[in-house]
Amino acid sequence: NMKASDAFNTMTEMVKETVDDFNTAKEEGRKANEVFNKVRKARSHKFNTAFKQIDAALKIIYTDMTKSSKHPLGGNAYLSLDDADEPYRGGMKFNAMPPMKRFRDMEQLSGGEKTVAALSLLFAIHSHRPAPFFIMDEVDAALDNVNVLKVCNYIRQRSDDFQCIVISLKDMFYERSESLIGICRDVSSNSSRTLTLDLTKFDRKSEGQKRSRVGGEDAA
């Protein structure tokens, strides 16, 4: 068969091209796998770093926000992963145990307890990646006066780190704010009107009056 040699050469060339393509694809697959493993490792490292920092901050913040004279140790809150080795394959659980209460699911906590737990988690996340300000819309709706005071005190303690804008109907928030902004209806123009009040001026005046009274008593 005079064409057998030509056919053999053609097939040999096709096999060579196929082998070259296979080796090229194999090398590209190896490089892609290396890049994928590198990205997965970096992603897991960043996630675990953030997770550990937020979890540690959460425990401290929740304890601080649930402390009281009756419960000086406060409550306990923590985060847990369904899959610690591959955190992206599973979910994450948030558990909070108020003072003197046994472990229970978050769904079984009261509205106020859920609010304190949620705010603690929010502040913990903020401690890892700070935001310039917060806007909180009636987060105190389910809180009693004791817990409102705790939230107010925590926000005031962190006022140097971030600005917090709170929409609230509780007098306790008003009393401990640096400024008030009110929206009311202007009857004359039939539109909304904004009223502002800087409470820091009154704080300075009250402090100055206290100092003057103390100085007068000393002089007397």
Side-chain angles (χ1 to χ4, degrees):
N1 189 352
M2 299 299 294
K3 296 182 179 180
S5 178
D6 295 337
F8 176 78
N9 292 333
T10 302
M11 295 301 298
T12 300
E13 186 65 25
M14 292 176 61
V15 170
K16 183 177 181 302
E17 291 178 356
T18 302
V19 171
D20 292 340
D21 292 341
F22 171 76
N23 290 333
T24 300
K26 185 177 180 180
E27 180 64 18
E28 291 177 353
R30 184 187 65 80
K31 292 180 180 179
N33 190 55
E34 288 181 354
V35 173
F36 173 77
N37 289 331
K38 184 178 180 180
V39 172
R40 183 174 64 177
K41 185 177 179 181
R43 181 184 66 172
S44 297
H45 175 71
K46 290 183 178 180
F47 178 87
N48 289 326
T49 300
F51 178 83
K52 292 177 181 178
Q53 292 179 358
I54 294 172
D55 183 46
L58 172 64
K59 294 176 180 177
I60 297 174
I61 294 172
Y62 185 77
T63 299
D64 291 341
M65 294 187 67
T66 53
K67 281 182 180 179
S68 65
S69 57
K70 294 182 179 179
H71 310 294
L73 298 180
N76 184 27
Y78 61 92
L79 300 172
S80 60
L81 296 172
D82 293 338
D83 190 343
D85 296 329
E86 292 289 343
Y88 292 96
R89 291 186 176 182
M92 182 188 306
K93 292 182 180 179
F94 175 28
N95 299 294
M97 290 176 286
M100 303 302 293
K101 290 191 176 182
R102 61 181 177 83
F103 174 81
R104 62 180 67 181
D105 292 335
M106 292 291 289
E107 291 77 8
Q108 297 178 354
L109 298 179
S110 67
E113 291 169 342
K114 290 179 181 178
T115 300
V116 173
L119 289 175
S120 300
L121 179 59
L122 177 65
F123 292 138
I125 295 174
H126 174 269
S127 67
H128 173 68
R129 181 165 292 183
F133 64 90
F134 281 118
I135 298 179
M136 299 182 179
D137 188 1
E138 295 190 17
V139 296
D140 56 353
L143 298 178
D144 56 17
N145 290 335
V146 175
N147 285 319
V148 170
L149 179 60
K150 292 177 181 178
V151 174
C152 290
N153 291 336
Y154 182 82
I155 292 176
R156 293 210 65 169
Q157 291 172 4
R158 299 293 304 277
S159 60
D160 293 336
D161 300 330
F162 61 87
Q163 182 182 16
C164 192
I165 303 172
V166 181
I167 303 172
S168 174
L169 298 175
K170 300 291 182 68
D171 295 342
M172 197 170 295
F173 259 115
Y174 304 159
E175 296 170 359
R176 288 162 177 78
S177 301
E178 294 183 351
S179 62
L180 297 178
I181 301 175
I183 307 296
C184 64
R185 180 184 177 187
D186 189 344
V187 180
S188 60
S189 61
N190 195 25
S191 61
S192 298
R193 182 183 178 187
T194 304
L195 304 175
T196 60
L197 181 62
D198 185 1
L199 299 182
T200 57
K201 298 178 180 179
F202 300 95
D203 291 340
R204 296 192 191 99
K205 288 182 179 179
S206 60
E207 290 176 0
Q209 291 173 357
K210 290 179 182 179
R211 294 195 186 97
S212 63
R213 285 199 297 268
V214 171
E217 291 173 357
D218 293 341

